[in-house]
């Protein structure tokens, strides 16, 4: 029986130390308490991640829908309104198109490791608004008016009528709240002779092609979780010992970085003889849970091959900052009383 440690043994009282005591003729009965670590299991952080957040290597991959903003020439160039329908030199103007997108539901913040946003500006005008020295400034920020995360300035390029100009904005290590904000500032120096149609539009589409986060703040809420089956190392316990088991318990020592409580059940045993017990885990960072078993229940799986530990339940929690390597761990220990004699 490798790995099995005797934690304590009942003392034998020797009557010969007492004057006038009869010498016992029956063999003494001893009780041994065995405390045996038998396995570790875990709930990984992906059990608590909302839709749109997955683990990729050592980071979270966060999915964000494309941003979209559209503006007409009448809005971008108020002075053009009086010239609608005329072919004349274009007035100078500057304007900004902007759009925002929130992170996936239940994600309130993230620490970005790296990100890329592809911004496409589709020119639906009958002229090139940045010809002759104009410019585009593409900015991605942490919410409207927030910290600039990345910026690209476009000069000397061509925005042909009906064409699309695309640039990629790279974002380095940074922290963001729940919203990414994209803006495109258009500066037109004017002077181009063109037909002015104030209903024509410029459309900006910003697509987050990659957003990797080293941590994220998520709202756990209430969700179903499962412990994957783990094989328990109890086959080496001999049948002669199993017969002497009087009572026992499984002690679960829990490390919980998620601040969640779990109400559910655990199952220990073979596929043919599972033993199910209620499970209640508190939200503290560390805790210990003791689950008692009768000798008949213990004898169903002690010393048997193919014994597994599994479980499931409902996890309830609040907002917590997590990283991809976080996991709720459970060290499983057998605490049993063996009678000898």
């Amino acid at each position: 029986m490798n790995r099995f440690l005797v934690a304590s043994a009942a003392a034998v009282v020797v009557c010969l130390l007492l004057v006038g005591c009869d010498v016992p003729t029956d063999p003494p009965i001893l009780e041994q308490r065995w405390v045996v670590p038998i396995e570790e299991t875990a709930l990984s952080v992906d059990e608590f991640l909302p839709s749109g957040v997955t683990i990729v290597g050592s980071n979270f991959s966060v999915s964000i829908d494309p941003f979209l903003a559209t503006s007409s020439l009448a809005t971008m160039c108020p002075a053009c309104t009086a010239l609608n329908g005329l072919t004349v030199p274009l007035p100078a103007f500057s304007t900004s198109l902007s759009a925002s997108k929130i992170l996936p539901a239940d994600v309130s913040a993230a620490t970005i490791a790296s990100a890329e946003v592809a911004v496409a500006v589709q020119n639906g005008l009958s002229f090139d608004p940045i010809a002759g020295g104009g410019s585009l400034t593409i900015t991605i920020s942490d919410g409207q008016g927030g910290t600039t995360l990345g910026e690209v300035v476009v000069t000397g390029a061509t925005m042909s009528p009906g064409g699309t100009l695309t640039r990629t904005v790279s974002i380095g290590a940074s922290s963001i709240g729940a919203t990414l904000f994209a803006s495109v500032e258009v500066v037109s120096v004017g002077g181009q002779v063109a037909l002015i149609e104030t209903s024509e539009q410029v459309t900006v589409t910003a697509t987050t092609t990659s957003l990797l986060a080293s941590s994220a703040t998520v709202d756990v809420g209430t969700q179903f979780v499962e412990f994957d089956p783990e094989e328990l190392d109890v086959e080496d316990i001999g049948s002669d010992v199993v017969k002497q088991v009087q009572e026992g318990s499984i002690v679960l020592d829990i490390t919980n970085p998620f601040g969640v409580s779990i109400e559910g059940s655990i199952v220990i045993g073979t596929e043919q003889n599972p033993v199910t017990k209620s499970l209640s885990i508190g939200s503290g960072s560390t805790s210990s849970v003791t689950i008692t078993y009768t000798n008949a229940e213990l004898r169903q799986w002690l010393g048997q091959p193919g014994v597994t530990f599994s479980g499931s339940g409902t996890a309830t929690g609040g907002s917590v900052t997590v990283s991809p390597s976080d996991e709720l761990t459970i060290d499983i220990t057998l605490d049993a009383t063996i009678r000898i004699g």
Side-chain angles (χ1 to χ4, degrees), residues 251-261 280-290 327-331:
V251 181
L252 308 178
D253 291 312
I254 301 150
T255 301
N256 179 1
F258 305 120
V260 297
S261 60
S280 181
I281 296 176
S283 60
S285 59
T286 59
S287 61
S288 182
V289 175
T290 299
E327 59 183 12
L328 184 153
T329 60
I330 298 180
D331 290 312

Side-chain angles (χ1 to χ4, degrees), residues 206-250:
T207 304
T208 305
T209 56
S210 170
L211 197 163
L212 299 178
S214 58
S215 67
T217 302
V218 302
D219 183 8
V220 173
T222 300
Q223 53 189 297
F224 178 77
V225 296
E226 285 187 289
F227 295 95
D228 292 332
E230 293 284 351
E231 188 169 346
L232 300 185
D233 186 11
V234 294
E235 185 178 355
D236 290 340
I237 304 175
S239 59
D240 55 335
V241 174
V242 174
K243 291 177 183 179
Q244 302 302 320
V245 173
Q246 300 302 300
E247 61 184 7
S249 59
I250 291 294

Side-chain angles (χ1 to χ4, degrees), residues 269-336:
T270 62
E271 185 176 351
Q272 296 76 21
N273 291 303
V275 180
T276 302
K277 293 284 187 176
S278 296
L279 172 67
S280 181
I281 296 176
S283 60
S285 59
T286 59
S287 61
S288 182
V289 175
T290 299
I291 300 174
T292 59
Y293 289 79
T294 65
N295 58 359
E297 290 171 332
L298 290 169
R299 291 169 188 173
Q300 287 187 55
W301 50 270
L302 285 178
Q304 301 297 315
V307 174
T308 60
F309 173 102
S310 62
S312 63
T314 300
T316 304
S319 181
V320 61
T321 299
V322 295
S323 62
S325 60
D326 286 343
E327 59 183 12
L328 184 153
T329 60
I330 298 180
D331 290 312
I332 307 167
T333 300
L334 171 66
D335 187 342

